[in-house]
Amino acid sequence: MISKVAVLGAGTMGTGIAGQLANADVEVLLLDIKQTGVQPNAVAERAIKRLQDSDPPLLVHPDVLTNITIGNIDDDLNRISSCDWIIEAIVERLELKRELYQQINRYRKPDAIVSSNTSTIPMTLLTQDMPASFRQHFAITHFFNPVRYMRLLELVKGDETTPAVMETLRRFNEEKMGKGIVDCRDTPGFLANRVGVFALQVGIDETVHCGLNIEEADALMGRPMGIPKTGVFGLYDLIGLDLMADVVKSLKNILPDTDPFQQVSNENHLVNKLISEGYTGLKGHGGFYRRVDSRRESIDLATGQWRPYRYTPPSLVADDMQNLVLLTEGDTPQHQFCRRVLGRVLAYSAGLLPEVTDHPVPIDDAMKLGYNWAQGPFEMIDAIGISRFIHLLKDEGIPVPPYLAGSDHLPCYRVEQGQLQTRYVDTGYQTVRRAPGIVRFNETRRTLQPLSRNASASLYKLSEGVGLIEFHSKANALDGDSMAIVEEAALRAGDDLNGIIVHNDGLHFSAGVNLHRFRAMIEDRNWDGIDSFLVDFQRAVKALKYCAVPVIAAPSGLTIGGGYEVAAHCDVVVTHTNVVLGLVESLVGLVPAGGGVKDTLFRWHHRLGDWNEAAQKSFMNIGYGRTGTSPKLAAELAYFRPNVDRQVINRDRLVQASLDLIRNLADDYNPPEKPTFHWVGRGAFEQMQDFLQDQHSKCQLTAHDVVVGTEIARIVTGGDRPPTEISENELYDAERMAFVRLAKTEATHARIIHMLDRGQALRN
Ligand code: NAD
């Protein structure tokens, strides 16, 4: 049992690990080296400040900081004697780590677990001077930055580590810390960095070789390949050019001369020059990209000079949906880049078998959980087709690794009798097994046929008879197709389905309705089209809310705007802890019109028992486009209901938690009763208008903020009329009418364009 943890080293990683332990409500002792002077704990104090100021926030709520006690190693190391797990996260220097282990061993209780967060130092070197009792309790726990958000934990067992220690670490990190665990052998860079750092180096190498500019390379080796849009150079800037240079150097030193990594590990003069000039990445003046005033500039790889940023949309595929075959077939330098990058990176991954693992799953998991790739390398090989991929390697002069050469062209994965199987090096296909309760829907989906499917969403039936609605449009933006599947699921409830879960495995559940559609309709002055889209949206969410079976939303990531409105119409939201819940329509000059205002008003009334106060709270929440970046923070805005909704720290457990809940609710389930509402009328409406004018005169709100705020005020109070009882449908109508009125304004049009073209809210 782990109930108290010490984290030694309060740098980037120690701070993040302590933060996530605090999020899990675990008691933490955070120590760093003693500073001379009046503030001996200054380093750990700075860590606390970083946790408070972090963006995206590393804490689920400021209150969880009470779980962390700070100190310094000179004065407070004896306090580790009360800890069950001691995590070493100090600088990557072998002799310092060893020295610290001697001290730890003096104070730790006999059964305390000790682990290192080292990225590169082999375990045998770390512990060679330590007694057997220490080695039996020692492992490597390799977290990824930022710890709250990166799902991967690489877990490395030493020759002498006991099974009980490994099991304790596995369970604790999986259940309490929300991690996806990948077991690794003690090989250099373990799995994610071994492939990920190689991929970055190859990306740079091939950008130069194929004569592309850095924007083109990032646009290709990003979304089209199922890699986050930071691509190569953007990711370098994010990680830090100096840190990357150190990581490359240390991998170069520990990998054998024959490893293909050596071909891309030479010092890069441009990188060295940038670092020496303070261009260490986002934390410095910039890196490969920089901002000068409001302009973006990029480095020209050929001249080393800065030039204006040129956005280069990928031209090889129709949009940024991944089609690896299309990317690799063609004669342009862009195609050549894709062929060579994919060829080298995927072949390198396959070349790691059997040395670092004997089957594809750990490497695929590591890249998906540690680098946020949409597919792992072996899944990408299957997507290209193994024969085609072997041809590609031969054409490009890249050696074909034995795992592929000896494969008889059999895929890395297959589905057999409803089970997903993967091909092992020696033993052939075996079923992919996950710990009980772990469901990754992108895996489950491969074993199912959809009941219904269109371009934006699908409806599946899980073995328990429960329907699962999956959004899968670009960025999971909601459109008519998405809502048609929602409505179809609701209509099948009872006959076909005994429960419904709305869930997907994307990084974000849904950031709302597809704004491109609205922009086009506004530019066509198609007001009836907008109205009928909203009518359809409202009909679908109403059908979901009042259908005959329990409905659970199981979101993770951004669940805002229309995405939140879908979740709000479910009986229960079983949400991942890393969620962003709220209504942000005002930022683009609109109001929520899928029942979002209506539902917010209902929730505040339910909580406060007073329609006037409920109207005020709803007006403020929605007017300012407020969101909660965790269930706890969302609860303060009534977007999460602590007595009804659930939170789950491990997103792999969302589906199982939803299924368990449906089983509990199904027996005597009754759909919710239709509520009635009360419009408080003129007095409150005028008060809100006065507030808007007052804020406008103080330059706190813009002219269009006042227009949008007035529409929100009108929906929640009923506007210029006496107090009235109203039905739910009247509120849906009020939302829709306000939406269309705003869509007709030039200022809303300008806000939408700004958001779509620049990704930022316009303050007009
Ligand atoms: P960092 O430089 O940000 O922080 C290291 C901290 O250790 C500093 O606060 C420093 O004061 C403290 N420290 C230095 N010497 C010490 C000593 N003798 N005793 C106690 N504390 C000491 O480093 P980081 O990025 O947090 O990395 C920490 C460990 O995690 C390293 O082993 C690194 O390889 C590994 N790691 C880093 C990342 C990453 O992305 N930064 C990711 C995974 C693993």
Side-chain angles (χ1 to χ4, degrees):
M1 252 277 285
I2 294 176
S3 51
K4 184 168 176 191
V5 180
V7 179
L8 308 184
T12 307
M13 293 309 294
T15 304
I17 296 166
Q20 183 65 357
L21 285 160
N23 288 338
D25 266 333
V26 175
E27 220 184 311
V28 192
L29 175 66
L30 177 63
L31 306 180
D32 203 290
I33 37 187
K34 183 175 184 175
Q35 303 296 292
T36 49
V38 287
Q39 282 183 296
N41 301 337
V43 182
E45 280 162 12
R46 280 200 300 273
I48 298 293
K49 184 91 180 61
R50 276 205 305 282
L51 284 174
Q52 284 168 326
D53 297 343
S54 52
D55 182 23
L58 294 176
L59 299 179
V60 296
H61 195 281
D63 288 355
V64 302
L65 275 179
T66 53
N67 290 321
I68 305 180
T69 313
I70 58 168
N72 70 76
I73 293 181
D74 282 12
D75 299 333
D76 301 305
L77 196 64
N78 59 340
R79 289 161 67 189
I80 67 170
S81 60
S82 60
C83 295
D84 309 297
W85 179 19
I86 299 145
I87 307 172
E88 171 273 299
I90 68 165
V91 285
E92 191 74 336
R93 296 255 306 272
L94 177 59
E95 67 283 13
L96 292 181
K97 289 188 192 270
R98 277 189 181 163
E99 233 169 75
L100 185 60
Y101 296 163
Q102 295 292 352
Q103 289 178 271
I104 291 173
N105 206 33
R106 206 167 304 143
Y107 296 111
R108 75 176 181 99
K109 55 182 177 183
D111 58 348
I113 297 173
V114 184
S115 74
S116 173
N117 196 50
T118 180
S119 299
T120 52
I121 307 175
M123 198 176 328
T124 41
L125 292 182
L126 286 175
T127 57
Q128 68 183 17
D129 298 334
M130 301 306 294
S133 61
F134 186 91
R135 292 199 297 264
Q136 286 159 2
H137 289 87
F138 187 86
I140 289 174
T141 46
H142 188 231
F143 288 93
F144 283 70
N145 185 36
V147 179
R148 176 177 172 195
Y149 296 98
M150 295 311 296
R151 294 162 69 190
L152 180 61
L153 174 67
E154 291 181 321
L155 194 53
V156 186
K157 177 183 177 308
D159 290 340
E160 295 169 56
T161 322
T162 66
V165 164
M166 296 307 288
E167 186 52 25
T168 305
L169 285 175
R170 184 185 314 283
R171 286 188 71 140
F172 181 84
N173 282 290
E174 207 264 306
E175 288 167 16
K176 295 288 280 188
M177 297 284 273
K179 294 296 153 195
I181 303 219
V182 171
D183 288 295
C184 299
R185 296 180 192 158
D186 192 12
T187 57
F190 313 122
L191 292 176
N193 285 343
R194 181 83 177 263
V195 174
V197 177
F198 179 77
L200 280 169
Q201 296 305 101
V202 166
I204 295 180
D205 196 40
E206 292 297 342
T207 307
V208 175
H209 179 244
C210 299
L212 303 190
N213 62 47
I214 67 172
E215 294 94 329
E216 275 176 308
D218 281 353
L220 290 166
M221 197 171 162
R223 292 253 170 87
M225 291 191 193
I227 291 174
K229 68 176 180 202
T230 42
V232 184
F233 299 94
L235 185 55
Y236 239 84
D237 284 2
L238 187 68
I239 297 174
L241 273 63
D242 48 348
L243 186 61
M244 276 304 297
D246 287 347
V247 171
V248 170
K249 207 182 293 168
S250 66
L251 275 176
K252 179 184 168 73
N253 290 338
I254 48 177
L255 286 168
D257 292 346
T258 50
D259 193 287
F261 185 81
Q262 302 297 356
Q263 297 157 15
V264 287
S265 63
N266 285 337
E267 278 197 31
N268 183 315
H269 297 302
L270 178 57
V271 170
N272 287 347
K273 175 171 165 280
L274 285 170
I275 295 172
S276 70
E277 291 170 357
Y279 289 103
T280 49
L282 295 186
K283 64 184 171 187
H285 313 316
F288 287 100
Y289 297 102
R290 73 171 180 184
R291 263 190 195 282
V292 180
D293 302 324
S294 61
R295 281 173 296 116
R296 265 185 100 181
E297 292 191 337
S298 319
I299 277 284
D300 184 319
L301 290 183
T303 63
Q305 301 299 312
W306 294 101
R307 57 158 179 76
Y309 172 84
R310 284 199 294 268
Y311 174 63
T312 319
S315 54
L316 313 189
V317 281
D319 57 20
D320 66 1
M321 301 305 277
Q322 302 134 39
N323 186 328
L324 300 181
V325 174
L326 277 185
L327 284 181
T328 52
E329 290 197 333
D331 296 328
T332 66
Q334 287 82 7
H335 287 104
Q336 191 196 10
F337 173 81
C338 293
R339 251 193 326 271
R340 292 199 51 81
V341 165
L342 286 169
R344 291 175 78 181
V345 173
L346 305 186
Y348 185 68
S349 309
L352 297 178
L353 271 58
E355 178 210 340
V356 303
T357 163
D358 56 359
H359 64 112
V361 175
I363 295 179
D364 281 350
D365 279 357
M367 296 318 294
K368 288 188 285 187
L369 304 184
Y371 275 73
N372 279 337
W373 288 14
Q375 300 187 90
F378 295 88
E379 291 168 330
M380 287 160 107
I381 293 173
D382 279 354
I384 294 171
I386 203 148
S387 308
R388 190 192 296 267
F389 185 64
I390 291 172
H391 265 114
L392 180 156
L393 295 182
K394 288 182 176 158
D395 286 350
E396 294 297 329
I398 301 166
V400 181
Y403 177 75
L404 300 178
S407 67
D408 290 332
H409 295 208
L410 290 171
C412 308
Y413 293 91
R414 72 174 185 191
V415 174
E416 194 71 14
Q417 294 176 345
Q419 304 265 355
L420 182 65
Q421 299 186 331
T422 189
R423 188 163 57 77
Y424 279 62
V425 175
D426 292 328
T427 51
Y429 286 103
Q430 288 188 37
T431 300
V432 176
R433 295 205 188 280
R434 300 285 177 197
I438 299 284
V439 178
R440 295 196 183 135
F441 188 68
N442 59 16
E443 266 169 31
T444 312
R445 183 208 301 116
R446 299 180 63 167
T447 65
L448 302 170
Q449 285 296 325
L451 291 179
S452 188
R453 180 181 174 81
N454 60 37
S456 304
S458 299
L459 173 63
Y460 293 91
K461 187 172 180 174
L462 304 178
S463 53
E464 296 81 353
V466 172
L468 189 143
I469 299 170
E470 183 196 31
F471 299 137
H472 47 62
S473 59
K474 187 172 156 188
N476 288 339
L478 303 178
D479 57 17
D481 277 353
S482 329
M483 301 316 288
I485 293 285
V486 168
E487 192 172 7
E488 180 178 343
L491 296 178
R492 284 174 179 258
D495 302 335
D496 232 3
L497 306 173
N498 53 31
I500 297 173
I501 301 173
V502 194
H503 172 75
N504 64 69
D505 246 343
L507 276 185
H508 300 298
F509 177 77
S510 171
V513 167
N514 186 343
L515 269 187
H516 290 280
R517 289 283 306 279
F518 282 132
R519 178 182 182 170
M521 288 194 277
I522 288 172
E523 286 166 5
D524 289 346
R525 308 183 68 75
N526 182 4
W527 316 124
D528 287 346
I530 292 179
D531 191 63
S532 83
F533 173 85
L534 297 176
V535 167
D536 290 349
F537 192 111
Q538 293 182 347
R539 202 183 51 246
V541 287
K542 274 189 252 182
L544 198 63
K545 177 172 176 182
Y546 293 111
C547 78
V549 299
V551 182
I552 313 287
S556 182
L558 289 179
T559 306
I560 55 177
Y564 169 75
E565 288 175 312
V566 171
H569 283 79
C570 298
D571 292 300
V572 182
V573 178
V574 174
T575 176
H576 183 218
T577 312
N578 295 343
V579 74
V580 179
L581 293 167
L583 293 165
V584 292
E585 286 79 352
S586 63
L587 305 181
V588 288
L590 294 168
V591 292
V597 186
K598 177 244 358 156
D599 192 75
T600 307
L601 186 62
F602 176 80
R603 287 175 182 218
W604 278 116
H605 177 256
H606 186 74
R607 191 183 287 189
L608 303 171
D610 179 289
W611 285 110
N612 194 19
E613 280 185 55
Q616 289 290 345
K617 289 280 193 189
S618 307
F619 170 69
M620 296 303 275
N621 275 18
I622 298 169
Y624 283 105
R626 288 179 181 150
T627 54
T629 52
S630 68
K632 221 169 171 176
L633 287 167
E636 294 174 1
L637 300 167
Y639 292 137
F640 179 86
R641 300 159 299 179
N643 297 332
V644 177
D645 299 325
R646 313 278 168 94
Q647 58 173 313
V648 176
I649 199 164
N650 190 327
R651 65 171 286 167
D652 294 335
R653 291 185 174 272
L654 288 174
V655 171
Q656 190 59 52
S658 305
L659 285 170
D660 293 346
L661 202 55
I662 286 177
R663 206 171 304 124
N664 285 343
L665 293 173
D667 277 352
D668 46 5
Y669 180 78
N670 288 309
E673 282 177 17
K674 290 224 159 85
T676 50
F677 291 80
H678 185 80
W679 266 337
V680 285
R682 191 172 299 135
F685 182 53
E686 282 171 1
Q687 234 179 5
M688 289 177 192
Q689 283 180 306
D690 290 346
F691 170 83
L692 293 168
Q693 288 304 340
D694 179 53
Q695 292 295 303
H696 181 45
S697 67
K698 291 178 181 155
C699 297
Q700 299 294 317
L701 291 178
T702 66
H704 200 51
D705 289 340
V706 175
V707 175
V708 177
T710 305
E711 290 294 357
I712 297 167
R714 202 188 310 280
I715 306 169
V716 295
T717 61
D720 211 5
R721 69 178 80 203
T724 331
E725 292 293 315
I726 49 156
S727 70
E728 188 173 42
N729 278 337
E730 282 170 286
L731 268 175
Y732 280 112
D733 292 345
E735 288 183 356
R736 235 175 44 245
M737 285 186 284
F739 190 102
V740 176
R741 275 195 298 274
L742 287 169
K744 288 180 178 173
T745 63
E746 272 311 310
T748 287
H749 184 211
R751 283 191 183 190
I752 292 176
I753 291 174
H754 203 267
M755 182 61 80
L756 287 174
D757 294 351
R758 307 208 191 170
Q760 285 166 353
L762 175 68
R763 300 293 322 273
N764 60 345

